[in-house]
Amino acid sequence: MNDFIKVIPCLDVKNGRVVKGVNFVHLKDAGDPAQLASAYVEAGADELTFLDISATTEGRDTMVELVAKVAGLVSIPFAVGGGIRNVEDAQRLFDAGVDKVSVNSAAIDRPDVLDELAERFGSEKIILALDARRCANGVSTPSGYEVTTHGGSKSTGIDAVGWAKDATARGIGEILLTSMDADGVQTGFDLDLLRAIREAVDVPITASGGAGEVEHFVQAARAGANAVLAASVFHFGKVSIAQVKRGLADAGFKVCGEF
């Protein structure tokens, strides 16, 4: 059983606002990033993830000014993804106060960027954002899961498990594993996907996509997640961070803080 499970709220940001939908579409406004970030620190979040979900599709840089504002308000580890294409992009975010960066599309386009980022900043600061879904539409991979990019809108045909192994060998320090099939649906994490990646790599894995109730977070921890991440259920008050930590503790997992 894992020693310590982190609970991480995620801020999916578009046009300066936190949004959330289902499978990254039908987005609803969920609030101001700075206000939500501050509230989550107070609520006992272990880390905070900020994803600029339209940076890649719009071909622009991450919103550094907004990131810096949020970074100045939080006292917990702060990870940012979206629009990071090279060492220079990452450096701007670290200069703005970010603790970790996550990379998805840019690494698919040019895998060497993972080596470069890990060498420059250290593996512990580099996250592979692995957005995966079950193969469909004639796509076939050894694991039955393929990697997607651009918020799940683009198929790559790349095997998710193979890509996790490759990225780990290149020096990434952890994986943010999102099930694009389960994202926003609130019926539970894709445990088969999580187990497949867990068996393939030894870096920490954050499970993302599908949380709808406390038991779902417990199931993810049992399947090998080192951290559990959610957005909708936290933003709209369906489940609190304290409730998740209490559920994990009751199931025998170690969690941080009082709840």
Side-chain angles (χ1 to χ4, degrees):
M1 187 171 285
N2 297 346
D3 289 332
F4 177 85
I5 305 296
K6 297 176 183 177
V7 180
I8 306 175
C10 182
L11 307 179
D12 294 317
V13 179
K14 184 175 183 179
N15 298 325
R17 299 285 293 180
V18 177
V19 296
K20 193 57 194 172
V22 177
N23 307 131
F24 278 70
V25 296
H26 307 303
L27 302 176
K28 296 180 180 179
D29 186 274
D32 175 73
Q35 291 178 349
L36 280 172
S38 297
Y40 284 134
V41 173
E42 290 294 321
D46 297 307
E47 294 188 8
L48 183 67
T49 293
F50 177 117
L51 298 179
D52 188 342
I53 64 172
S54 58
T56 298
T57 55
E58 294 173 4
R60 60 170 173 78
D61 295 339
T62 314
M63 296 177 285
V64 178
E65 289 184 4
L66 180 56
V67 166
K69 181 180 180 181
V70 174
L73 295 171
V74 301
S75 54
I76 56 178
F78 181 37
V80 173
I84 301 166
R85 296 157 296 195
N86 50 47
V87 167
E88 291 73 26
D89 289 341
Q91 185 67 64
R92 281 191 288 272
L93 292 172
F94 286 125
D95 290 343
V98 168
D99 298 291
K100 305 176 186 178
V101 297
S102 67
V103 185
N104 179 5
S105 299
I108 294 296
D109 293 339
R110 191 173 68 85
D112 285 349
V113 72
L114 297 177
D115 304 76
E116 295 162 5
L117 290 168
E119 182 176 355
R120 174 70 173 271
F121 303 109
S123 295
E124 70 280 0
K125 293 188 175 184
I126 310 304
I127 303 169
L128 175 72
L130 201 170
D131 295 348
R133 66 183 176 204
R134 293 181 185 273
C135 293
N137 301 320
V139 176
S140 177
T141 68
S143 70
Y145 289 93
E146 71 159 327
V147 179
T148 67
T149 62
H150 297 76
S153 64
K154 291 192 176 182
S155 167
T156 68
I158 296 172
D159 180 58
V161 172
W163 177 227
K165 290 180 179 179
D166 184 18
T168 301
R170 289 176 179 275
I172 59 103
E174 59 185 91
I175 293 174
L176 171 56
L177 178 63
T178 300
S179 166
M180 302 311 296
D181 298 313
D183 178 74
V185 178
Q186 299 187 19
T187 56
F189 296 94
D190 187 330
L191 301 180
D192 290 338
L193 171 63
L194 177 54
R195 292 187 187 103
I197 301 296
R198 175 73 288 160
E199 290 175 5
V201 302
D202 58 6
V203 299
I205 298 173
T206 297
S208 168
E213 57 188 66
V214 170
E215 182 59 24
H216 293 155
F217 295 93
V218 175
Q219 291 169 353
R222 287 175 175 150
N226 304 91
V228 286
L229 177 148
S232 299
V233 292
F234 291 149
H235 299 338
F236 302 119
K238 185 175 181 180
V239 175
S240 71
I241 290 171
Q243 287 172 324
V244 173
K245 289 193 172 186
R246 190 174 301 116
L248 288 166
D250 289 346
F253 294 95
K254 294 179 182 178
V255 293
C256 183
E258 299 179 358
F259 43 85

